[in-house]
Amino acid sequence: VQLVESGGGLVQAGGSLRLSCAASGFTFDDYAITWFRQAPGKEREGVICISRSRGSTYYADSVKGRFTISRDNAKNTVYLQMNRLKPEDTADYHCAAAFFNRCPPRQWSYNYWGQGTQVTVSS
């Protein structure tokens, strides 16, 4: 089982990035996928989730209107489109998979986790 994130990097404030989360080793279609992030010195927080039926749930109010999530089940991949990035978006971004129809809010509900990709937004 693997979740592999990619697409992170250094970007100026106001810029955009698209993160990818590629899954293998499990039945991807049966899982809700959430992006989490952890900034230095802070607790990990949920950002946004996409359910099996492609409904999205925002866990971080600060990203509403700027971040969107999508999934391509044919490619076993979830994408996080991040626009109008801010320095406070700087964090290590992880994707995680939960065997749920909807998006579970509790981190202990998630079965699989990726290693993360770093996003740094300069001011």
Side-chain angles (χ1 to χ4, degrees):
V1 172
Q2 272 194 313
L3 289 173
V4 179
E5 302 92 339
S6 61
L10 174 64
V11 64
Q12 287 189 331
S16 298
L17 283 175
R18 188 177 81 155
L19 306 184
S20 298
C21 170
S24 61
F26 62 97
T27 307
F28 180 76
D29 299 16
D30 291 343
Y31 286 73
I33 307 293
T34 291
W35 284 96
F36 292 84
R37 66 184 180 185
Q38 188 166 20
K42 294 187 177 181
E43 292 188 355
R44 183 168 58 193
E45 65 169 350
V47 178
I48 187 171
C49 173
I50 188 164
S51 68
R52 290 170 56 177
S53 59
R54 292 184 167 81
S56 58
T57 299
Y58 286 90
Y59 294 131
D61 289 341
S62 64
V63 307
K64 288 181 179 178
R66 300 188 298 122
F67 290 12
T68 57
I69 191 170
S70 60
R71 67 189 296 161
D72 184 341
N73 287 350
K75 296 182 178 180
N76 286 0
T77 301
V78 166
Y79 303 98
L80 177 63
Q81 180 66 44
M82 306 186 295
N83 299 326
R84 303 199 308 276
L85 282 160
K86 303 176 181 180
E88 50 264 44
D89 294 318
T90 295
D92 193 23
Y93 284 71
H94 298 257
C95 59
F99 188 60
F100 278 84
N101 288 329
R102 299 181 180 179
C103 290
R106 308 296 183 195
Q107 295 188 27
W108 51 255
S109 300
Y110 289 81
N111 306 91
Y112 309 121
W113 292 81
Q115 292 298 309
T117 185
Q118 178 67 37
V119 171
T120 303
V121 184
S122 63
S123 56

